Amino acid sequence: MNSPLDSNAELQHTARRNLWMHFTRMSAYSDNDVPVIVRGSGPYVFDNHGRRYLDGLSGLFVSQVGHGRTEIADAARRQASELAYFPLWSYAHPQAIELAERLADLAPGDLNRVFFTTSGSEAVESAWKLAKQYYKLCGQPERYKVLSRDIAYHGTSMGALAITGLADIKYPFEPLPPGGVRVPNTNFYRAPDFVADDLTGFGRWAADEIERAILREGPESVAAVFLEPVQNSGGCFPPPPGYFARVREICDTYGVLLVSDEVICAFGRLGHYFGSARYGYQPDIITFAKGATSGYSPLGGMLVRDAIMEPFTRGAATFLHGVTFAGHPVSAAVALANLDIFEKEDLLANVRGCEAGFRATLEKLYDLPIVGDIRGDGYFYGIEMVKDRDTRETFSEEESERLLRGFLSTALFDAGLVCRADDRGDPVIQLAPPLICGQEHFDEIERILREVLTEAWRRI
Ligand SMILES: Cc1ncc(COP(=O)(O)O)c(C=O)c1O
């Protein structure tokens, strides 16, 4: 039987009338069609006209195992029939228990305790709340501040937004909870002159800036530093050599918790279950979401070291925080089925084996004058576009608006590639394909980018 929304005209009419899309200028769709994606298969998705797109962003850094995996859908169906819902408030269910054990086994060091949420923002919010309550329990109630990096995105709830380093998306919601402090990010392409030719020196400087910020704020007032293994926002900034070792040292010196926000970088994005493992550092808390279920159902959470959990194991101590759907049985069952696929298909080995090919294929684009910098690791890359490659001059706001919103976003999609054209820092294109991708998909990405970026340069 046909649904009442079968025709494109009906879908468009109803979407315009009733749907509010996230971080979206709704006015952009008063004269243009809303793209409607109806199904997916492997690394491809299809719209309601039957057109195929390579999902070069894994939806939104989510679909690690690709689309259309019936074994995950079956696990969800089985779990919904057996026990669709029960809370983790004073109760447990086998899927949450099994998933917590499995994640603790995969996580680096003694990150043995799992607190589930339903999203990345909730995970970040929970980590800040945990850091604050932990220090209150430890007799250091004045520790509440959090450090994070310029332009970094850590989510949209009020706490997560206070940690986020993007002024434009914070301003409408101010005043935000106090205590968010910014430190430099690790964008080597835009490094200050005195370390512009020295990657290790740049990393040392950026890490030392964390120490300077702690000393400036007063070490007794700082609870945690939130860092992504590779910073997404701004276009994939990997850590310079030695950066995280120095950050760990600083955190230990001043008793500040190191929170590794791995909402994007966990579950294979960098060829490891956790991004911190790739760069060899031990976080006190890892926040995760997105790839934990490959998006077949929502789930997030944080992994916490034994020592941080310890004060909560005594007497009446309780972490006074929770959400109804955290660790939802269907999502937990889906996450387990997702991890089964990781193991069965050795997806981490696929990423590690193919990542050099991904980089080399993208680097072919360096022959285009608009391509300034190509950076990233694993299956996670940003391409920074510039007006002048020699001077690294970036685009004016008006040019950026014309280039990204006026042309690139639509042109890339029309050419069959889902990726992200972003100007929250300097203008970048971001890529994070499903972990099942290989050389043929990298070639397809390169071909489409070459075509569209060549045209973009012509139009500037
Ligand atoms: C590093 C990081 N932290 C937190 C979040 C927020 O996650 P969510 O959108 O699931 O709330 C995101 C989302 O992209 C993220 O990239």
Side-chain angles (χ1 to χ4, degrees):
M1 203 178 89
N2 286 349
S3 103
L5 296 180
D6 260 359
S7 81
N8 187 52
E10 284 159 335
L11 278 167
Q12 294 302 328
H13 173 77
T14 310
R16 286 196 189 102
R17 174 74 192 87
N18 297 119
L19 186 65
W20 200 335
M21 288 139 78
H22 294 208
F23 277 115
T24 301
R25 276 189 204 173
M26 294 303 288
S27 65
Y29 295 110
S30 25
D31 299 322
N32 298 306
D33 272 9
V34 174
V36 179
I37 303 298
V38 294
R39 84 185 166 84
S41 173
Y44 293 98
V45 290
F46 299 82
D47 71 10
N48 60 327
H49 304 287
R51 279 190 222 114
R52 191 180 85 158
Y53 304 85
L54 179 58
D55 185 1
L57 204 65
S58 299
L60 199 54
F61 313 100
V62 166
S63 310
Q64 316 296 71
V65 301
H67 300 277
R69 296 288 196 146
T70 50
E71 59 271 57
I72 303 188
D74 289 343
R77 183 186 47 74
R78 276 196 306 275
Q79 186 54 45
S81 314
E82 179 85 13
L83 177 71
Y85 175 70
F86 220 73
L88 290 181
W89 300 42
S90 306
Y91 301 93
H93 49 76
Q95 288 65 35
I97 296 170
E98 188 183 337
L99 181 59
E101 182 197 34
R102 204 149 157 192
L103 293 175
D105 283 349
L106 297 173
D110 62 344
L111 288 152
N112 289 323
R113 197 61 73 148
V114 184
F115 185 93
F116 287 113
T117 65
T118 59
S119 72
S121 296
E122 278 176 8
V124 168
E125 196 83 20
S126 304
W128 191 6
K129 288 181 79 173
L130 176 60
K132 285 167 101 170
Q133 198 185 345
Y134 166 75
Y135 277 119
K136 286 207 165 61
L137 282 177
C138 294
Q140 300 180 57
E142 62 286 2
R143 279 197 195 261
Y144 71 96
K145 294 179 187 166
V146 275
L147 272 52
S148 58
R149 296 184 288 200
D150 289 331
I151 324 178
Y153 178 82
H154 292 283
T156 47
S157 56
M158 289 295 190
L161 199 54
I163 299 173
T164 288
L166 292 156
D168 286 357
I169 65 164
K170 292 158 74 114
Y171 168 71
F173 310 104
E174 287 173 344
L176 293 167
V181 177
R182 288 301 82 68
V183 292
N185 58 46
T186 60
N187 183 0
F188 187 55
Y189 188 63
R190 303 266 172 213
D193 285 347
F194 62 93
V195 278
D197 298 322
D198 174 7
L199 180 60
T200 306
F202 168 64
R204 175 77 191 198
W205 168 80
D208 284 348
E209 281 297 303
I210 293 177
E211 180 173 48
R212 277 189 276 279
I214 292 172
L215 292 171
R216 203 168 49 237
E217 295 296 323
E220 69 293 341
S221 72
V222 181
V225 51
F226 281 67
L227 306 170
E228 292 165 87
V230 172
Q231 179 175 322
N232 169 45
S233 193
C236 287
F237 307 144
Y243 175 80
F244 274 112
R246 177 71 187 122
V247 171
R248 181 70 264 179
E249 198 175 82
I250 293 165
C251 288
D252 290 342
T253 304
Y254 299 102
V256 170
L257 301 184
L258 173 53
V259 182
S260 191
D261 184 355
E262 307 204 9
V263 166
I264 290 179
C265 291
F267 302 105
R269 180 59 49 211
L270 301 172
H272 293 256
Y273 280 110
F274 293 96
S276 38
R278 175 166 185 141
Y279 303 115
Y281 65 95
Q282 178 63 53
D284 297 305
I285 300 174
I286 288 179
T287 49
F288 64 88
K290 296 189 185 266
T293 57
S294 285
Y296 286 77
S297 189
L299 180 99
M302 55 176 174
L303 277 142
V304 180
R305 281 182 103 164
D306 288 332
I308 310 225
M309 172 71 187
E310 200 279 329
F312 293 90
T313 59
R314 287 185 259 127
T318 307
F319 183 33
L320 293 167
H321 180 61
V323 286
T324 301
F325 285 139
H328 191 283
V330 174
S331 299
V334 160
L336 289 166
N338 185 47
L339 287 173
D340 288 345
I341 293 180
F342 269 72
E343 278 174 22
K344 207 165 59 205
E345 300 179 12
D346 207 351
L347 290 182
L348 301 184
N350 189 53
V351 173
R352 290 188 213 175
C354 297
E355 66 172 301
F358 188 31
R359 177 188 286 273
T361 308
L362 293 177
E363 284 181 348
K364 289 187 194 166
L365 296 167
Y366 269 130
D367 64 354
L368 303 179
I370 196 173
V371 172
D373 194 28
I374 298 173
R375 55 194 176 231
D377 268 328
Y379 275 20
F380 188 30
Y381 272 85
I383 301 176
E384 180 168 337
M385 293 164 287
V386 287
K387 204 153 104 177
D388 184 324
R389 225 185 9 211
D390 295 332
T391 61
R392 302 188 180 183
E393 184 187 349
T394 193
F395 297 96
S396 69
E397 230 166 84
E398 182 275 323
E399 287 165 335
S400 188
E401 172 78 21
R402 200 152 40 85
L403 177 70
L404 288 167
R405 295 200 183 73
F407 176 68
L408 269 181
S409 299
T410 320
L412 287 164
F413 186 70
D414 288 347
L417 178 64
V418 176
C419 61
R420 185 175 195 174
D422 193 6
D423 63 352
R424 291 181 296 178
D426 296 302
V428 289
I429 289 174
Q430 282 189 287
L431 296 159
L435 313 184
I436 50 172
C437 284
Q439 191 56 46
E440 63 185 289
H441 307 110
F442 308 151
D443 290 339
E444 191 175 343
I445 289 172
E446 195 268 345
R447 181 183 53 75
I448 294 174
L449 286 176
R450 175 172 296 281
E451 214 174 273
V452 174
L453 288 175
T454 304
E455 175 61 16
W457 185 249
R458 215 184 48 75
R459 286 170 176 243
I460 286 164

